[in-house]
Amino acid sequence: MSVLRRAKTWEISESEDSDAETKPGLGRDDSSQTASTEKQEQGSHGSAANRWGSAALAPPAAGGSDTPSPARKRRSKEEIEEDRLKVKERKEAREKQRAARAWEKEERRQEQQRRREAAKTLKSLRPENCLKCITVCIHPALLQQDGSDVLLDTLVSLDWKFSIESKQLVGSIAWTQDLPPQGEGGMVSVVEEEEQVLLVLSLADFMDVVISVKRIIHSQGVETGVGSFWSPILEFLNRDGKKVVTLLVTDSESDYRSNAHSVPLQIKLGMDHLDIEEVLVYLQLYKNISVVFLDSWQEVTDHVCAVTKALSKRPFKLLTEGAELPFCVDGSWASGVRVEKDGSGLIQVWSRQIQQLNRVSPAVASAVTASYPSPQLLLQAYNSLGSEEDRKGLLAGLSAKSGGKERRVGPEISARVYRCLTAHNPQLVLD
């Protein structure tokens, strides 16, 4: 098989050689042409490689194109300065906007802080919260009286603050209030003394006061009675004139005697009724001292509780009463009329003014304002009439239309409008 293959190979080679000899133009020239072609191909491959290498090493052209960029125009000093000023103006504008936003943010924060503080203050002024800041100060001498334990038990059951202090008037009950922290940092607490002072007296002590006051009245105002029970009261009032003293006169024996309530006070004191009334009037007018007669320590306790609750409600009442017209707030329900600078809206004000009168409907007011568009015109019409009856009945014949019905204003409303516009007595009843 190898011999056959060689023979075939030889035959093929001989045929190729014969073909090469028979075909013209083939020979050495073709071989030389082939060699030159191969050289050209090699040269082209080499140049392509060189081009790719140089392209890889060269930096990329700007803008993605091989075309060269035109020469950049040189700016003048004026243009540079103008650009710099524009940049500076934009920067300043941004700084102003940033400062304005910061200022608005700070204003909102301060407003919120003020609202929180106002709400906190308002909450602390409510009676239920203000009651927690009030302390009932009791003099130790009162604890020696029979029945005084009722007062202490009641204060404990109500969970109210109280203290036993001997620096105040003997036998008195006073109040102090702890104000919110004040000063720098809000760490300084202030204790304010209330002006209300209760002085619990027995019948014997009040008898001493009555005798001392009677001496003052008979001596034409000369205050005497040094060493009596009245002297400490005078010193206390002279030391602080803003204090309001109330004498609570109680009979301790009434707690143990069932018929004590039926015995008149003048019989208990052994004095005439006019003498007691004279003393009470003098204490009220000249010393601003009120006298309350109570039968037992239970009534004294009830009076102390009533005064304590009144003191807790007073700050909130003062806050609400301090506002101007607290019952009239802004809103559409107030039915206000806006008057422009050109006078438009005055006729609506004139109509509303007439409607304020009793039993004057909008239809009647519209009839009056249609005939007399201003109060001055109506007053001129009144002055042009000669008699009082004609003035009162000037508006009686005007027709008022309401709901498809037509009726006259009437003499009653006409007379009422006349009295409203012409009367000089502010207490005059129009109806």
Side-chain angles (χ1 to χ4, degrees):
M1 292 179 66
S2 61
V3 175
L4 291 177
R5 289 179 182 174
R6 289 180 180 176
K8 289 181 180 179
T9 305
W10 179 257
E11 290 177 356
I12 292 172
S13 61
E14 286 182 352
S15 64
E16 288 178 354
D17 293 337
S18 61
D19 291 336
E21 291 177 357
T22 57
K23 291 182 181 179
L26 293 175
R28 183 176 299 174
D29 295 336
D30 293 338
S31 62
S32 60
Q33 186 177 1
T34 303
S36 62
T37 303
E38 293 175 357
K39 290 181 180 180
Q40 289 178 359
E41 291 178 356
Q42 292 177 359
S44 63
H45 287 296
S47 61
N50 293 333
R51 284 199 303 269
W52 283 107
S54 61
L57 295 177
S65 61
D66 295 337
T67 58
S69 60
R72 186 175 181 181
K73 185 179 179 180
R74 192 171 185 180
R75 296 187 301 170
S76 61
K77 293 183 179 180
E78 291 79 7
E79 293 176 348
I80 295 174
E81 184 67 19
E82 184 178 358
D83 293 343
R84 189 182 65 81
L85 292 177
K86 289 181 179 179
V87 172
K88 184 177 180 182
E89 290 176 357
R90 288 195 296 269
K91 184 177 180 181
E92 291 178 354
R94 288 193 298 268
E95 291 293 335
K96 289 181 179 179
Q97 293 178 358
R98 191 180 296 108
R101 288 194 296 268
W103 181 80
E104 292 177 357
K105 184 178 180 181
E106 181 65 20
E107 283 292 323
R108 290 194 298 268
R109 189 190 66 79
Q110 292 180 2
E111 181 66 22
Q112 293 176 356
Q113 182 67 20
R114 286 192 294 267
R115 290 181 180 179
R116 284 194 295 267
E117 292 178 355
K120 185 178 179 180
T121 303
L122 182 61
K123 184 178 180 181
S124 63
L125 292 179
R126 292 189 177 277
E128 59 273 13
N129 296 325
C130 189
L131 191 59
K132 301 176 182 178
C133 302
I134 295 179
T135 303
V136 182
C137 304
I138 304 173
H139 194 273
L142 293 177
L143 304 180
Q144 300 176 3
Q145 299 184 16
D146 296 335
S148 60
D149 54 341
V150 177
L151 176 61
L152 298 180
D153 295 341
T154 303
L155 295 178
V156 172
S157 62
L158 293 175
D159 198 16
W160 290 356
K161 294 191 298 183
F162 66 93
S163 62
I164 310 300
E165 298 181 3
S166 59
K167 60 181 180 181
Q168 53 190 1
L169 188 62
V170 178
S172 64
I173 300 174
W175 290 265
T176 59
Q177 183 176 2
D178 298 333
L179 298 179
Q182 300 177 359
E184 297 181 359
M187 300 300 295
V188 181
S189 59
V190 179
V191 179
E192 181 181 4
E193 294 184 359
E194 297 290 345
E195 68 275 6
Q196 296 291 333
V197 176
L198 300 181
L199 186 59
V200 182
L201 300 178
S202 62
L203 287 178
D205 296 335
F206 182 69
M207 186 66 182
D208 189 6
V209 173
V210 170
I211 295 174
S212 301
V213 172
K214 291 289 290 184
R215 291 176 181 175
I216 295 174
I217 295 174
H218 293 158
S219 60
Q220 298 181 354
V222 179
E223 296 182 353
T224 59
V226 178
S228 63
F229 198 82
W230 176 245
S231 180
I233 300 177
L234 290 178
E235 293 178 0
F236 179 77
L237 294 177
N238 294 332
R239 186 168 59 251
D240 192 351
K242 295 182 180 181
K243 296 294 184 179
V244 179
V245 179
T246 302
L247 302 181
L248 301 182
V249 182
T250 179
D251 185 10
S252 59
E253 296 180 358
S254 62
D255 295 334
Y256 307 101
R257 294 187 304 176
S258 59
N259 59 347
H261 298 281
S262 60
V263 180
L265 180 62
Q266 58 268 21
I267 297 178
K268 293 181 180 180
L269 297 177
M271 298 181 62
D272 187 65
H273 181 70
L274 294 178
D275 294 337
I276 297 177
E277 292 294 333
E278 185 181 11
V279 171
L280 297 181
V281 171
Y282 175 84
L283 293 175
Q284 181 68 43
L285 295 181
Y286 292 93
K287 300 300 179 181
N288 195 21
I289 297 177
S290 302
V291 181
V292 179
F293 295 98
L294 303 175
D295 293 331
S296 62
W297 263 96
Q298 182 60 49
E299 294 186 2
V300 173
T301 302
D302 296 339
H303 190 85
V304 172
C305 294
V307 175
T308 305
K309 292 180 180 179
L311 292 176
S312 65
K313 296 177 181 178
R314 186 177 59 176
F316 191 77
K317 288 184 177 180
L318 292 177
L319 181 64
T320 55
E321 293 175 358
E324 184 178 0
L325 298 179
F327 55 87
C328 183
V329 298
D330 296 334
S332 59
W333 65 270
S335 300
V337 178
R338 181 179 178 85
V339 179
E340 303 295 340
K341 294 182 179 180
D342 57 353
S344 59
L346 286 174
I347 191 170
Q348 285 84 2
V349 176
W350 170 225
S351 178
R352 297 288 178 84
Q353 185 177 359
I354 299 175
Q355 293 179 41
Q356 290 179 358
L357 300 176
N358 192 18
R359 296 187 301 277
V360 175
S361 62
V364 173
S366 299
V368 175
T369 56
S371 301
Y372 303 96
S374 68
Q376 187 65 29
L377 295 177
L378 183 56
L379 289 175
Q380 292 176 2
Y382 285 145
N383 295 330
S384 64
L385 299 177
S387 63
E388 188 76 12
E389 295 298 329
D390 294 340
R391 295 190 186 99
K392 290 182 179 180
L394 176 63
L395 305 177
L398 298 178
S399 61
K401 297 180 180 180
S402 176
K405 298 180 181 180
E406 184 176 352
R407 66 181 184 89
R408 297 188 306 116
V409 173
E412 182 183 354
I413 296 179
S414 177
R416 195 184 311 141
V417 174
Y418 170 73
R419 287 192 294 268
C420 177
L421 294 179
T422 59
H424 298 282
N425 181 15
Q427 305 297 331
L428 178 63
V429 180
L430 299 178
D431 292 337

